[in-house]
Amino acid sequence: EKASQSETEMSAEKPHWYFRVNAKGGTDHFMFREMPFFLPEKNFYIVDPSDTRGINCRFGMMGNTAAAHFDGSRNFVMLFGGERRYILSHPKNCDSLALYHRSHPSARHSAMDWSHPDLEKFPEFQNAMGNEVVLQAGGVLYLPTHWFHFIVSLDLNWQCNARSGITDEYEDHILKCGF
């Protein structure tokens, strides 16, 4: 199967390819040479060089999704090709987002598929508020600590992100939801 299937060739029964590569534990990795703005040096993107988590690059095809979740640090995403839809939700909505319990292996994630909300099983979700952002090639998205995001690949795409530093401005909301 090819990774660049057209929309008419896509179906739930066909494979959806997704590839991820990480550069962690030092700056000798080729990804830092290719993208020096991700180096653990204080700049617009890296706000706390002592608390960086490396570079994560993801390559995916149309239809891939990332379950709604929050990260425990600042996150910035750069899209180098294709398009991705991000549904963002403020941490104050956490009690409406059907989150797994903190002790669950998928803690920080929503138990519900945001592509097909089941309001009978998760009626609280109807109270959730969100914003939609379609990130296009060359775009950058900043996600503050604890902001929820659900991602849909709109076509063949590739992006890299780095996380650096933690802010506590939304911590009260997350703590109220048991995290």
Side-chain angles (χ1 to χ4, degrees):
E1 299 288 330
K2 60 183 181 178
S4 60
Q5 296 170 358
S6 70
E7 195 169 349
T8 57
E9 297 173 299
M10 295 291 296
S11 75
E13 293 77 37
K14 291 191 176 183
H16 288 68
W17 301 102
Y18 178 84
F19 174 72
R20 183 173 119 177
V21 63
N22 302 80
K24 295 182 179 179
T27 58
D28 294 336
H29 197 281
F30 78 91
M31 292 169 62
F32 286 107
R33 289 191 301 277
E34 294 294 324
M35 298 177 283
F37 41 84
F38 281 112
L39 283 165
E41 300 168 353
K42 190 168 181 71
N43 62 47
F44 179 77
Y45 301 111
I46 305 298
V47 295
D48 185 354
S50 68
D51 187 26
T52 59
R53 314 260 162 73
I55 305 171
N56 297 291
C57 293
R58 294 168 172 86
F59 308 84
M61 59 188 290
M62 179 180 16
N64 282 356
T65 62
H69 67 285
F70 72 87
D71 295 317
S73 59
R74 294 177 175 133
N75 192 353
F76 79 93
V77 180
M78 300 180 89
L79 193 68
F80 294 101
E83 290 185 329
R84 285 181 166 210
R85 173 180 289 128
Y86 287 77
I87 306 296
L88 308 175
S89 188
H90 190 287
K92 69 182 177 186
N93 292 301
C94 67
D95 60 351
S96 299
L97 301 180
L99 300 179
Y100 285 111
H101 187 270
R102 181 182 182 157
S103 63
H104 191 278
S106 292
R108 301 185 302 111
H109 290 76
S110 177
M112 187 183 63
D113 178 0
W114 285 19
S115 295
H116 306 285
D118 184 344
L119 297 179
E120 288 186 24
K121 187 173 180 181
F122 303 105
E124 68 275 14
F125 190 72
Q126 65 188 339
N127 301 317
M129 301 293 288
N131 298 301
E132 177 183 30
V133 175
V134 175
L135 198 59
Q136 298 176 325
V140 176
L141 176 65
Y142 169 72
L143 292 169
T145 305
H146 299 126
W147 271 69
F148 291 89
H149 47 290
F150 171 70
I151 307 165
V152 180
S153 294
L154 300 178
D155 59 8
L156 184 66
N157 63 82
W158 49 102
Q159 64 97 53
C160 295
N161 71 294
R163 293 187 296 183
S164 166
I166 298 170
T167 58
D168 60 2
E169 60 202 288
Y170 303 108
E171 188 173 40
D172 288 346
H173 299 294
I174 295 298
L175 292 174
K176 287 178 186 174
C177 286
F179 288 92

